[in-house]
Amino acid sequence: MRFNFDSPEPIYLQVAEQVEEAIFTGVYQAGEQVPSTTEVSKQFHINPATVLKGMNRLVDAGMIAKRRGVGMFVTAEAATMIREKRRAEFYERYVSRFTDEAQKLNLSEDEVVVLIRRAYAN
């Protein structure tokens, strides 16, 4: 994990995003324990309450589950949830803007498909 303490993005969000990324990329598999709040806080010199706030975002989203006295574990649905979330974000952030611009340029759907295929080929 890496944290940018100069970023305008709050540290607790960075914690949540980095654990989510680790789940998405397979660093943490379904059923595996994620690092404890104490471990992350000590290793990166972050307030434990800040780390917990980030972890709780993932708990609230259903990506990790707390087991009292044992720790936090990746849920069976986490990878699928993250993939769906990222697909929705991808559509909003890129596809929607891309097609808006294509329409402004009067590109047909077929022309857009050709451009996408060309990009995939590169």
Side-chain angles (χ1 to χ4, degrees):
M1 286 190 214
R2 292 183 185 177
F3 299 100
N4 181 351
F5 296 100
D6 296 323
S7 171
E9 182 176 44
I11 298 299
Y12 78 94
L13 289 178
Q14 292 183 46
V15 168
E17 288 171 359
Q18 293 205 29
V19 173
E20 183 179 304
E21 178 70 15
I23 294 167
F24 183 69
T25 59
V27 173
Y28 305 121
Q29 300 286 324
E32 288 185 0
Q33 188 172 12
V34 297
S36 72
T37 299
T38 304
E39 287 176 66
V40 175
S41 117
K42 284 183 179 179
Q43 183 176 356
F44 298 101
H45 308 287
I46 301 171
N47 184 313
T50 300
V51 176
L52 183 60
K53 188 174 180 179
M55 294 294 203
N56 280 337
R57 286 182 61 87
L58 300 177
V59 170
D60 293 344
M63 295 176 193
I64 61 176
K66 291 181 181 180
R67 294 188 194 157
R68 189 175 180 99
V70 182
M72 293 187 232
F73 296 80
V74 178
T75 63
E77 308 82 18
T80 301
M81 293 170 72
I82 295 167
R83 188 174 302 105
E84 289 173 6
K85 175 185 166 194
R86 288 187 175 201
R87 283 180 181 216
E89 289 172 352
F90 178 78
Y91 175 81
E92 289 300 320
R93 187 175 293 149
Y94 302 107
V95 176
S96 181
R97 290 181 184 170
F98 177 77
T99 55
D100 287 346
E101 186 66 20
Q103 289 171 345
K104 289 177 191 173
L105 292 168
N106 293 320
L107 292 171
S108 70
E109 187 176 328
D110 290 337
E111 290 171 311
V112 170
V113 169
V114 167
L115 291 172
I116 292 170
R117 285 189 177 137
R118 187 171 82 193
Y120 263 96
N122 290 332

